[in-house]
Amino acid sequence: MLSVLIETRNNEEALARTLSSLVGAAVVGMVREVIVCDLGSTDQTRQVAEQTGCHFLAEGGIAAGIVQAKSDWLLLLEPGARLVDGWTEAVEHHMEMMAMPARFARSPADRLPLFRKLFARERALTEGLLIRKAQAHPLSRRATTSEALARGLATKRLRAEIRVAMPV
């Protein structure tokens, strides 16, 4: 089981897309909870989170979400990112066999051409982040956002795909 954390600000539509890709995993018991860590939304983000059964944290950011998470493994996602069918098997295998953090592979539709890849400034959470709570908690003391927490971590590549969120 894992806890999914999504840090957001005024992303109600993107949040809904991400949550819809988690429904199947919640039904089979892979996703224990979804925690939405809000950074001051003024749109309907809170209503989207609450109507879909998520825990909504209005204060404390990603650090508060990590402390509240009930699972030993955390999955950090950007609002708008969508996990491609079949991801649960790869995540389950990783959680059983590995201790290090992992990221998803980009879906072929979202892969950048080589030239753009060389010069693009990549967001650290573009491909999600699967990490043990015990590893994330000390990192969250220094990192004020999920993006900062994910930056610079050595990770393994999962055999599962993600449709990346469009940059805001």
Side-chain angles (χ1 to χ4, degrees):
M1 289 178 114
L2 50 88
S3 297
V4 178
L5 284 84
I6 304 170
E7 191 174 66
T8 186
R9 181 167 193 255
N10 293 333
N11 294 112
E12 63 184 90
E13 290 178 25
L15 177 62
R17 283 193 302 275
T18 300
L19 294 174
S20 70
S21 76
L22 300 173
V23 170
V27 169
V28 298
M30 171 65 106
V31 172
R32 180 179 193 171
E33 64 187 340
V34 177
I35 302 171
V36 176
C37 305
D38 191 63
L39 300 175
S41 293
T42 57
D43 64 358
Q44 301 298 310
T45 296
R46 179 184 206 115
Q47 287 81 356
V48 169
E50 290 175 347
Q51 289 174 0
T52 55
C54 300
H55 300 284
F56 185 85
L57 297 179
E59 296 179 358
I62 196 68
I66 290 169
V67 168
Q68 182 175 335
K70 296 175 184 158
S71 299
D72 291 335
W73 281 92
L74 310 176
L75 176 58
L76 281 65
L77 295 171
E78 291 182 316
R82 297 178 319 273
L83 301 174
V84 176
D85 289 342
W87 68 270
T88 55
E89 292 82 9
V91 167
E92 187 172 20
H93 181 263
H94 182 84
M95 292 188 314
E96 289 172 1
M97 306 300 285
M98 302 284 181
M100 73 181 303
R103 296 182 196 273
F104 291 87
R106 282 177 183 246
S107 123
D110 293 330
R111 292 188 186 134
L112 296 173
L114 179 60
F115 185 74
R116 282 195 52 214
K117 188 186 263 188
L118 292 173
F119 296 103
R121 176 154 160 64
E122 194 68 31
R123 297 179 320 273
L125 275 181
T126 299
E127 296 161 346
L129 178 66
L130 179 65
I131 187 170
R132 286 185 177 273
K133 181 177 179 175
Q135 293 169 310
H137 189 262
L139 294 172
S140 71
R141 292 186 192 124
R142 294 187 310 271
T144 57
T145 65
S146 57
E147 180 73 15
L149 185 143
R151 187 166 286 118
L153 283 178
T155 58
K156 179 151 178 61
R157 181 70 57 196
L158 293 168
R159 292 184 182 263
E161 293 179 359
I162 189 170
R163 293 295 318 263
V164 301
M166 302 311 303
V168 180

